[in-house]
Short mmCIF file of all heavy atoms in Angstrom, two decimals:
data_model
loop_
_atom_site.label_atom_id
_atom_site.label_comp_id
_atom_site.label_asym_id
_atom_site.label_seq_id
_atom_site.Cartn_x
_atom_site.Cartn_y
_atom_site.Cartn_z
N TYR G 143 -32.91 49.93 46.47
CA TYR G 143 -31.53 50.33 46.22
C TYR G 143 -31.04 49.50 45.05
O TYR G 143 -30.95 48.28 45.15
CB TYR G 143 -30.70 50.05 47.49
CG TYR G 143 -29.32 50.64 47.53
CD1 TYR G 143 -29.00 51.83 46.90
CD2 TYR G 143 -28.32 49.99 48.26
CE1 TYR G 143 -27.73 52.37 46.97
CE2 TYR G 143 -27.03 50.52 48.33
CZ TYR G 143 -26.75 51.69 47.70
OH TYR G 143 -25.46 52.22 47.77
N HIS G 146 -26.02 46.60 42.47
CA HIS G 146 -24.64 47.03 42.33
C HIS G 146 -23.74 45.93 42.86
O HIS G 146 -24.17 45.02 43.57
CB HIS G 146 -24.39 48.35 43.05
CG HIS G 146 -24.55 48.27 44.53
ND1 HIS G 146 -25.77 48.27 45.16
CD2 HIS G 146 -23.62 48.15 45.53
CE1 HIS G 146 -25.61 48.17 46.46
NE2 HIS G 146 -24.32 48.09 46.72
N HIS G 148 -19.44 45.38 44.32
CA HIS G 148 -18.19 46.05 44.66
C HIS G 148 -17.06 45.09 44.30
O HIS G 148 -16.88 44.07 44.97
CB HIS G 148 -18.12 46.35 46.16
CG HIS G 148 -19.39 46.90 46.72
ND1 HIS G 148 -19.70 48.22 46.69
CD2 HIS G 148 -20.45 46.28 47.31
CE1 HIS G 148 -20.87 48.42 47.26
NE2 HIS G 148 -21.36 47.25 47.63
N GLU G 153 -18.04 43.38 51.59
CA GLU G 153 -18.93 44.31 52.27
C GLU G 153 -19.89 43.58 53.19
O GLU G 153 -20.32 42.48 52.87
CB GLU G 153 -19.73 45.09 51.21
CG GLU G 153 -20.73 46.07 51.80
CD GLU G 153 -21.64 46.64 50.73
OE1 GLU G 153 -22.42 45.88 50.13
OE2 GLU G 153 -21.54 47.84 50.48
N TYR G 155 -23.52 44.62 55.47
CA TYR G 155 -24.50 45.56 55.97
C TYR G 155 -25.05 45.02 57.27
O TYR G 155 -25.40 43.82 57.35
CB TYR G 155 -25.69 45.70 55.00
CG TYR G 155 -25.40 46.26 53.63
CD1 TYR G 155 -25.65 45.50 52.49
CD2 TYR G 155 -24.94 47.56 53.47
CE1 TYR G 155 -25.42 46.01 51.22
CE2 TYR G 155 -24.71 48.09 52.21
CZ TYR G 155 -24.96 47.32 51.09
OH TYR G 155 -24.74 47.82 49.82
N ASN G 178 -21.78 40.50 51.61
CA ASN G 178 -21.64 40.58 50.15
C ASN G 178 -20.16 40.39 49.76
O ASN G 178 -19.37 41.31 49.89
CB ASN G 178 -22.12 41.94 49.63
CG ASN G 178 -23.62 42.11 49.84
OD1 ASN G 178 -24.40 41.21 49.58
ND2 ASN G 178 -24.01 43.28 50.33
N HIS G 184 -25.91 42.90 44.20
CA HIS G 184 -26.98 42.94 45.20
C HIS G 184 -27.89 44.15 45.03
O HIS G 184 -27.46 45.22 44.62
CB HIS G 184 -26.45 42.83 46.64
CG HIS G 184 -25.36 43.81 46.96
ND1 HIS G 184 -24.08 43.71 46.50
CD2 HIS G 184 -25.37 44.92 47.74
CE1 HIS G 184 -23.34 44.70 46.95
NE2 HIS G 184 -24.11 45.46 47.71
FE1 FE2 Z 1 -23.35 47.30 48.55
#
Side-chain angles (χ1 to χ4, degrees):
Y143 191 32
H146 65 281
H148 317 274
E153 178 189 66
Y155 295 120
N178 295 316
H184 52 287

